[in-house]
């Protein structure tokens, strides 16, 4: 199941980033970005790809392109190494495209 991120996903997102090789300073920056999002940053969205237990195994982050309407940039996407090779990344990309389209239409 792919859904919008929730505040209780932060630790799992950081664990996924660490598992794919993020350095401590990168994890700290990621933590700040997530905090800004949950504090009301409407210029971005985070998605969680969850397993059956609703525990994120994947994450995607998109931010709107400044000075445009409805243009989004995919800046981060990761699937935990233990969950790779099962089509989760492809499904997450598809969901990113759908979400960005819906948010782009909201600006029209």
């Amino acid at each position: 199941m792919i859904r919008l991120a929730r505040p209780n996903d932060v630790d799992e997102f950081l664990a996924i980033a660490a598992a794919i090789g993020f350095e401590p300073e990168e994890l700290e920056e990621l933590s700040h970005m997530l905090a800004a999002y949950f504090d009301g940053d409407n210029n971005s969205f985070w998605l969680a790809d969850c397993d059956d237990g609703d525990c994120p195994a994947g994450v995607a982050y998109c931010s709107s392109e400044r000075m445009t309407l409805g243009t989004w940039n995919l800046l981060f996407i990761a699937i935990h190494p233990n969950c790779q090779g099962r089509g989760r990344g492809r499904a997450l990309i598809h969901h990113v495209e759908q979400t960005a389209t819906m948010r782009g239409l909201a600006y029209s």
Side-chain angles (χ1 to χ4, degrees):
M1 170 184 73
I2 298 172
R3 59 168 171 73
L4 287 174
R6 301 175 186 152
N8 61 342
D9 293 329
V10 171
D11 289 341
E12 292 297 326
F13 287 173
L14 294 173
I16 292 167
I20 64 166
F22 271 43
E23 298 293 331
E25 62 275 1
E26 294 168 322
L27 293 170
E28 184 176 338
E29 179 62 26
L30 192 62
S31 180
H32 291 302
M33 292 165 62
L34 284 158
Y37 173 70
F38 291 118
D39 283 343
D41 174 8
N42 293 323
N43 295 319
S44 66
F45 65 89
W46 290 81
L47 297 175
D49 173 21
C50 300
D51 57 20
D52 294 334
D54 204 35
C55 182
V59 56
Y61 166 67
C62 291
S63 180
S64 62
E65 179 68 34
R66 294 175 8 156
M67 299 173 48
T68 70
L69 293 176
T71 302
W72 294 89
N73 297 302
L74 175 61
L75 300 174
F76 175 62
I77 185 167
I79 303 295
H80 193 283
N82 293 342
C83 300
Q84 293 176 1
R86 302 178 194 162
R88 295 184 93 133
R90 181 179 358 199
L92 192 51
I93 287 284
H94 180 71
H95 205 84
V96 164
E97 291 170 341
Q98 290 179 323
T99 303
T101 299
M102 294 297 289
R103 287 183 178 241
L105 292 174
Y107 284 115
S108 301

